Amino acid sequence: MSGGFFLFPWQRPFLPALKAFMDAPERRRLQTLLIVPHRRPWRYLQELYAAEPGGGRILPKMLTMTEVFSAWRAGLPPMPLRGANILDCVALLHDCVRALSSDDEGLERLFSAMPMERFFPWGVRLAGLLEEMFGQCVDVRDLPYAEDEVAPHAAALLGALGRIGSAYLAALEERRWTTPGLDALLAARHAATLPPLLRPSGDRAVVIAGFFQLTASEDAVLRSLWEQGADVCLHTDPALAAAPSGEGKQACHWACLEHARWLRDWRATPCLMDVPGEDAEPERHFFAGYDAHSQIGKVCQRLADGNAPQASTAVILGDGGLLMPLLHELPDKNVNISMGYPLERTPLYQLLDSLLRLQERENATEGGLYYWRALQAVLAHPYPALLRPSGAGEGTPLRPALFALDRQLRRGQRFVSPQTLLASVAEGDEETQAMLCLIVERLISAFASLGTTAEMAAAIEGVCSLLLEYGEDIWAHYPLDAEALYRVMQKVLPVLRDNALAHRPLTAGQLRGITREVLRQERIPFEADPLSGVQILGMLETRLLHFERVHILEATDDRMPGQAAQDVLLPDSLRPLIGLPDTSRRELVMAHNLYRLCASARQVFFYWQEGSTRSALFDGKKCRSRFVEQAVWHEEVRRGRLLAPGDGLLETAACTVRPFEREQPLLPRTPALNRAMESFLDAAPLSPTHLDAYLRCPLRFVRTHLCGLRALDGVNEGDDPAAIGSLLHEVLQQVFRTYENRVLPSDTEEKETLLQRLNACFQEKVAEKRLRCTLPPDSMAMLLAAVPLRFKAFVDALPSDSLLLGVEQKIEASLVLRSGEQRFYGIMDRLDRRDGLVHILDYKTGSIALQETAFWEDTALLARMAALEDGDDATEADETLAEVRSLIPSVQLLCYLAMARARHMGPLGNAACVELRSDGRECALLNAEAAAAADMDVIIDRCEDVISFLVWHMRYAPSFTGCVGGHCAFCPLHSLCPSPA
């Protein structure tokens, strides 16, 4: 005798009505078995039973469909020895495909010699497809002629799908393994044979509650139970009961059409339950934000509203990635989370992924060297820094020692040995050093030469035991991390350790890919307590539940219903050919869950973001979900008007956008900065480089030389102009020192000899400084090709009849300036005597900013510089400095001339920069015509006027102003300026 088919109106809560149904007098004396889609409703039923007065009653027994299939399968011989995990399934499929390759041309050509590393992704998809076919009770058969629909590898697998499925089932049966899909298939095939524990009887009532869309195996098993007397309870649109056998299905909501089909297929007569309550239309509110945080902000504002009741409130996340930002912003942290959180998002996964990434080919060498950034990602992870050498709760954490390692790592080479790195840092006592060695052993060395999944499991177990042994006390403060550690040890490690691939040699890349896949499949469940207050759930977790107020975040079309990922093995167009439902049924499930949840609520709030582009093939924009569109339309029909953005129901995020007002970055001269500047000027001689730095940007000079700010240490991974410039200076110094007090080469043969010596010295210096290890290969190749050409241009441009007086000449002199006597020092790259005059030359490997000739005749500027006094307006001082900067981009040669005159180095001629980066020409301070007509004493007097002004500005300017320009792009402190250029 068939059981009843009861419809519960979805405008009213389902679980209280279901409890009342099971507590009816005719069922109260019976032992009740409740079969539901998932275990979440049982927690709420327990609360309902606990609230009963008196207590002391036997609760119903609850089973999910997975447990029902397992119970059904347990009664069918032979009893399986164990369930096969994903690695077992892939290994069996790999063997089956290779065995069938001898009789199949397509499989032989593409898969006969395919290693496991390349087969694994296909094996995962193939195992998933077979599991779905088992669950849908579909006969596995070959699907030939699919070459025009899928890639060649997928076409070959589909063409032999029936034979692969048969061999796969035979392999599972031979080993007495089972899978959830196989349990469902066998249970459906023997649906007429009900297990005693599931059979309805005179003392046992069976209630099937809360299902919506059934697979073929679920349909067969539940139908058999119903035919034997089980009752079916559905939470659905009451209009479904308008006509018998679902003939009037169009009268019900479209999201309940699956229930109508169910009634029709089973030829069931529905009975509409009379559930107490009011059928009130829920209040709908809509909010369009510009990003996820604007949605979260609005939710938190409404939750913090003192007039809003917090009881029976749910926040539904369309995207699980919103969980952590939402928890951070919630006003009340005591919330109930009921959703699976991906292990992939946890810090533990990031640590394990960093360990795997460290061993990849681009990050590790055969000699045991590791790329510094990949090694830093491991050592800078927060977990090692929390460990204590003396065990849980004792001693000092490893953070200081790891920081010292990080500093040393940033100052080293691109590839470094962990053992050498430890030896270079003597931080902490012997116990700390031993702990650092243990970390290197467990986190780095243990993963260096793994070949099987069992060895990978042992390496990961070593990481977990390290975290537990030396940081046991910290996990109580980080429950999510503790749960992640538990899931890895109890769920992931058994899969890696005990499977058909456990001892099969694998390549390193394949082993890392398999490990990542197993880790990504794991999800962390949250404890669903307390049940009162605000609850955070995913849409699937809301099945059968009821809330008075519902907030639905990220209600965009790419999340609700969302677009299923394209299956490269079996695309949607081929699924009907083998009897599988297409992905449109997924949208129907989402719709039913959403509309059922909203129908029983009193207030529903939809949040979405508009206008933000997403990373997609055609860069589509996010838009509100089609389900939200229907809710908006329904509200417009009910109110008889279109909803306009900004009114009471359809709100938009308010965001005031103002244009950037460029601020002049500056620091006022505080007493502390003034003392620091005076100490800097008085403590040691100034160099021309200091004056150039101040002239270019006073603010950067102060931050660097007075405040001690500098760029973060890091291994140089690009071009290193400073190192190359220093190398070329050393080459020229070493070679030209042999020509001191001699006339520079002038004929072709002598120049050729000089060029050969320069090139030979350059090669020696490159090997000595190990530039091949520090420069990128392309930069090194360009350097080796360009330098000989630059040397040739430089040698060809050497002036004739020039006597070399000296190279790398150090000079120190005191200049009497308007602010007092000031000492200076410098190093002049080369001194030549030409026409009886001393010429000062400075080598430049970078660009050269030429001096403006107009400066020497600008008496008005010289007068303004001299007229500035301490206490004058800061604007006037800065404007004068800016004008000097525009005419004199560098004062280095000016300083050399002033110091040379102060040291009486002889009659001085012109000064010039030698441009090594191009043709080796000399860029003179004065052009030939001006140099011939100029009085050098007058020129040097004006040089001292400029130097005097700069030193005065350094001592007395009211503020230090930043100079915004092209150099800002290369400034390491650029982010500190309030208005970026």
Side-chain angles (χ1 to χ4, degrees):
M1 177 180 177
S2 301
F5 215 103
F6 302 96
L7 305 183
F8 292 73
W10 66 359
Q11 291 88 355
R12 299 162 199 174
F14 179 58
L15 292 181
L18 178 64
K19 176 183 176 297
F21 173 82
M22 293 187 295
D23 288 347
E26 64 273 16
R27 299 182 187 84
R28 189 176 180 87
R29 61 180 180 83
L30 304 177
Q31 182 181 358
T32 303
L33 172 63
L34 177 63
I35 300 176
V36 291
H38 63 124
R39 300 200 65 86
R40 177 62 175 157
W42 181 239
R43 185 69 184 84
Y44 286 81
L45 283 174
Q46 286 180 312
E47 289 288 321
L48 293 175
Y49 279 108
E52 283 186 346
R57 61 170 300 174
I58 299 177
L59 298 181
K61 180 177 178 58
M62 194 202 76
L63 294 177
T64 64
M65 277 309 301
T66 301
E67 295 167 336
V68 169
F69 287 142
S70 297
W72 221 293
R73 176 69 176 85
L76 303 175
M79 175 69 71
L81 296 178
R82 69 178 180 90
N85 58 47
I86 183 62
L87 300 185
D88 293 322
C89 297
V90 172
L92 291 185
L93 288 171
H94 186 244
D95 294 339
C96 294
V97 170
R98 297 189 67 174
L100 293 171
S101 297
S102 58
D103 299 327
D104 189 290
E105 180 181 353
L107 293 180
E108 182 181 10
R109 176 168 49 86
L110 297 173
F111 289 96
S112 60
M114 179 179 288
M116 177 60 76
E117 179 178 2
R118 295 181 56 198
F119 178 80
F120 186 77
W122 293 109
V124 172
R125 296 185 182 98
L126 190 57
L129 174 60
L130 292 174
E131 279 291 287
E132 185 180 6
M133 296 179 75
F134 295 159
Q136 293 289 354
C137 301
V138 173
D139 293 332
V140 185
R141 62 181 186 275
D142 295 347
L143 183 61
Y145 314 117
E147 292 82 358
D148 294 337
E149 296 287 339
V150 293
H153 290 82
L157 292 175
L158 292 178
L161 185 60
R163 288 167 286 158
I164 294 173
S166 299
Y168 177 60
L169 284 173
L172 288 173
E173 183 178 357
E174 178 184 355
R175 291 165 175 78
R176 292 180 64 184
W177 291 352
T178 188
T179 67
L182 185 56
D183 286 345
L185 176 64
L186 295 177
R189 287 179 177 176
H190 299 83
T193 307
L194 269 65
L197 293 178
L198 303 179
R199 184 183 297 114
S201 62
D203 58 354
R204 179 188 295 112
V206 178
V207 178
I208 302 168
F211 288 88
F212 175 63
Q213 194 176 71
L214 303 179
T215 64
S217 57
E218 291 173 343
D219 184 274
V221 168
L222 295 182
R223 185 168 186 171
S224 178
L225 288 171
W226 175 68
E227 290 173 348
Q228 295 296 323
D231 294 323
V232 178
C233 300
L234 303 181
H235 199 211
T236 188
D237 185 0
L240 194 63
S245 300
E247 295 175 0
K249 63 180 183 179
Q250 295 302 329
C252 71
H253 195 283
W254 65 273
C256 299
L257 293 181
E258 191 67 19
H259 283 160
R261 185 197 61 78
W262 190 349
L263 287 168
R264 183 178 64 253
D265 292 348
W266 287 20
R267 299 184 181 277
T269 301
C271 174
L272 183 62
M273 299 298 293
D274 184 14
V275 179
E278 300 179 359
D279 294 339
E281 185 79 10
E283 297 179 14
R284 300 180 182 89
H285 301 268
F286 309 95
F287 178 82
Y290 49 83
D291 64 356
H293 291 283
S294 61
Q295 303 175 56
I296 293 174
K298 188 64 176 179
V299 170
C300 294
Q301 177 186 341
R302 284 172 170 161
L303 292 179
D305 184 2
N307 298 324
Q310 300 302 309
S312 188
T313 299
V315 180
I316 314 300
L317 304 184
D319 181 6
L322 297 177
L323 177 60
M324 291 306 167
L326 176 63
L327 292 179
H328 180 73
E329 297 292 337
L330 278 177
D332 182 7
K333 308 299 182 182
N334 187 24
V335 296
N336 173 12
I337 305 172
S338 177
M339 59 184 297
Y341 191 72
L343 180 67
E344 187 178 4
R345 295 180 182 270
T346 63
L348 179 60
Y349 176 86
Q350 295 169 8
L351 174 62
L352 296 177
D353 183 65
S354 298
L355 301 182
L356 300 177
R357 198 179 302 277
L358 181 65
Q359 302 297 335
E360 292 176 353
R361 181 182 303 175
E362 61 269 20
N363 294 328
T365 67
E366 295 181 357
L369 301 180
Y370 294 96
Y371 179 51
W372 77 278
R373 284 193 182 276
L375 187 58
Q376 183 193 42
V378 174
L379 298 179
H381 193 276
Y383 283 176
L386 294 174
L387 303 182
R388 298 175 184 269
S390 302
E394 300 179 6
T396 304
L398 286 178
R399 186 178 292 106
L402 290 173
F403 280 177
L405 282 179
D406 184 76
R407 288 194 300 270
Q408 188 67 22
L409 188 63
R410 290 175 179 273
R411 297 167 182 170
Q413 305 294 329
R414 282 189 297 160
F415 284 85
V416 64
S417 167
Q419 290 75 17
T420 304
L421 182 64
L422 287 181
S424 65
V425 177
E427 185 77 19
D429 51 19
E430 294 183 1
E431 192 176 42
T432 300
Q433 289 293 322
M435 185 66 191
L436 291 176
C437 292
L438 182 61
I439 286 179
V440 170
E441 177 188 347
R442 296 280 184 91
L443 301 187
I444 301 173
S445 303
F447 289 83
S449 57
L450 303 179
T452 65
T453 61
E455 293 175 355
M456 178 64 76
I460 296 179
E461 186 177 16
V463 175
C464 296
S465 62
L466 176 72
L467 298 178
L468 286 176
E469 182 178 356
Y470 295 96
E472 182 180 1
D473 61 316
I474 66 177
W475 304 115
H477 305 288
Y478 305 101
L480 179 62
D481 302 76
E483 185 64 28
L485 191 60
Y486 171 82
R487 303 295 291 189
V488 168
M489 297 185 69
Q490 300 298 322
K491 302 294 181 180
V492 174
L493 292 185
V495 172
L496 292 174
R497 187 186 300 115
D498 185 16
N499 63 79
L501 294 175
H503 303 287
R504 183 182 299 185
L506 304 171
T507 65
Q510 173 189 350
L511 186 58
R512 289 191 292 267
I514 290 175
T515 304
R516 286 192 178 100
E517 185 66 28
V518 174
L519 289 169
R520 287 170 183 154
Q521 290 183 355
E522 193 61 41
R523 298 180 69 85
I524 300 174
F526 284 88
E527 293 293 335
D529 288 309
L531 295 184
S532 59
V534 178
Q535 305 194 44
I536 303 174
L537 308 92
M539 184 56 70
L540 287 179
E541 285 78 12
T542 64
R543 289 173 294 179
L544 310 187
L545 304 183
H546 159 76
F547 303 97
E548 294 287 336
R549 291 162 54 89
V550 176
H551 301 265
I552 302 176
L553 281 170
E554 199 65 6
T556 55
D557 211 51
D558 61 331
R559 298 295 180 185
M560 295 181 182
Q563 183 63 39
Q566 180 70 8
D567 190 345
V568 297
L569 178 60
L570 187 71
D572 208 44
S573 58
L574 296 181
R575 293 175 65 85
L577 297 181
I578 59 175
L580 292 179
D582 57 28
T583 55
S584 62
R585 297 187 68 181
R586 176 177 175 273
E587 178 178 342
L588 197 59
V589 172
M590 176 69 75
H592 177 75
N593 292 332
L594 175 65
Y595 288 116
R596 187 211 64 81
L597 178 67
C598 296
S600 60
R602 292 296 168 259
Q603 290 181 308
V604 181
F605 303 87
F606 293 96
Y607 306 83
W608 67 89
Q609 58 174 312
E610 291 182 345
S612 59
T613 60
R614 66 171 185 259
S615 177
L617 181 61
F618 299 107
D619 283 337
K621 290 188 176 182
K622 285 183 177 291
C623 58
R624 61 193 182 196
S625 170
R626 65 197 72 174
F627 303 143
V628 178
E629 290 284 0
Q630 182 172 357
V632 171
W633 173 82
H634 183 87
E635 200 65 32
E636 289 175 340
V637 171
R638 189 161 70 97
R639 295 178 178 272
R641 63 179 178 87
L642 296 177
L643 296 183
D647 66 13
L649 294 180
L650 181 55
E651 298 182 64
T652 57
C655 179
T656 303
V657 180
R658 297 184 179 89
F660 280 110
E661 296 181 3
R662 185 178 297 277
E663 299 179 17
Q664 187 72 14
L666 59 84
L667 281 176
R669 181 187 289 270
T670 62
L673 283 179
N674 187 60
R675 289 192 298 270
M677 179 64 81
E678 290 179 352
S679 298
F680 179 82
L681 294 174
D682 298 337
L686 276 180
S687 74
T689 305
H690 290 147
L691 291 182
D692 273 348
Y694 189 85
L695 176 64
R696 187 180 305 112
C697 182
L699 182 59
R700 177 178 175 181
F701 176 89
V702 170
R703 287 171 172 168
T704 304
H705 293 88
L706 304 188
C707 300
L709 301 180
R710 58 182 175 85
L712 187 67
D713 287 335
V715 177
N716 180 51
E717 300 185 78
D719 295 335
D720 194 349
I724 295 174
S726 176
L727 180 141
L728 295 181
H729 275 72
E730 291 182 21
V731 170
L732 292 171
Q733 174 190 1
Q734 182 172 326
V735 173
F736 273 83
R737 192 173 295 280
T738 61
Y739 287 89
E740 285 185 333
N741 300 316
R742 295 168 52 189
V743 177
L744 293 175
S746 57
D747 59 31
T748 304
E749 184 176 351
E750 291 178 338
K751 287 186 175 182
E752 184 64 30
T753 302
L754 174 59
L755 180 60
Q756 291 175 2
R757 295 183 61 189
L758 287 172
N759 288 331
C761 185
F762 169 69
Q763 295 294 340
E764 293 175 4
K765 291 295 183 181
V766 167
E768 177 185 334
K769 294 183 177 295
R770 301 183 62 192
L771 284 183
R772 295 180 185 273
C773 299
T774 58
L775 290 180
D778 55 342
S779 298
M780 190 67 216
M782 293 175 62
L783 179 67
L784 295 177
V787 167
L789 298 177
R790 301 293 181 262
F791 278 161
K792 185 178 187 310
F794 166 71
V795 171
D796 291 341
L798 284 176
S800 58
D801 301 327
S802 182
L803 177 66
L804 179 60
L805 297 177
V807 294
E808 296 288 327
Q809 291 290 309
K810 296 182 179 178
I811 183 173
E812 184 170 344
S814 295
L815 301 180
V816 179
L817 308 176
R818 56 183 294 192
S819 57
E821 186 175 345
Q822 181 68 48
R823 290 183 300 153
F824 289 87
Y825 78 96
I827 300 176
M828 297 180 289
D829 290 336
R830 201 173 91 212
L831 294 178
D832 287 3
R833 185 181 297 278
R834 305 172 190 172
D835 301 328
L837 301 176
V838 177
H839 289 250
I840 300 173
L841 300 174
D842 191 71
Y843 298 132
K844 294 295 184 184
T845 55
S847 60
I848 299 177
L850 298 178
Q851 179 101 6
E852 291 290 341
T853 307
F855 168 75
W856 307 109
E857 306 296 333
D858 195 344
T859 57
L861 176 59
L862 295 173
R864 286 200 303 274
M865 288 192 298
L868 287 172
E869 296 180 358
D870 183 15
D872 282 352
D873 182 69
T875 304
E876 186 177 356
D878 289 342
E879 289 177 352
T880 305
L881 182 64
E883 189 172 354
V884 172
R885 184 187 300 120
S886 65
L887 296 176
I888 309 175
S890 172
V891 296
Q892 187 173 27
L893 295 181
L894 281 66
C895 286
Y896 287 156
L897 286 173
M899 285 190 288
R901 186 175 71 171
R903 293 301 301 269
H904 308 291
M905 295 181 62
L908 297 175
N910 208 346
C913 293
V914 181
E915 192 172 17
L916 296 178
R917 66 178 297 176
S918 58
D919 55 4
R921 64 189 176 93
E922 295 180 2
C923 300
L925 186 64
L926 300 172
N927 58 34
E929 180 180 352
D935 182 348
M936 287 306 297
D937 285 332
V938 176
I939 294 297
I940 296 175
D941 286 342
R942 293 185 178 176
C943 292
E944 290 188 357
D945 289 340
V946 174
I947 297 170
S948 180
F949 167 70
L950 287 178
V951 175
W952 174 89
H953 199 283
M954 296 171 74
R955 284 189 180 273
Y956 301 115
S959 62
F960 303 104
T961 307
C963 174
V964 179
H967 60 273
C968 292
F970 307 100
C971 177
L973 308 179
H974 177 49
S975 59
L976 299 179
C977 293
S979 181

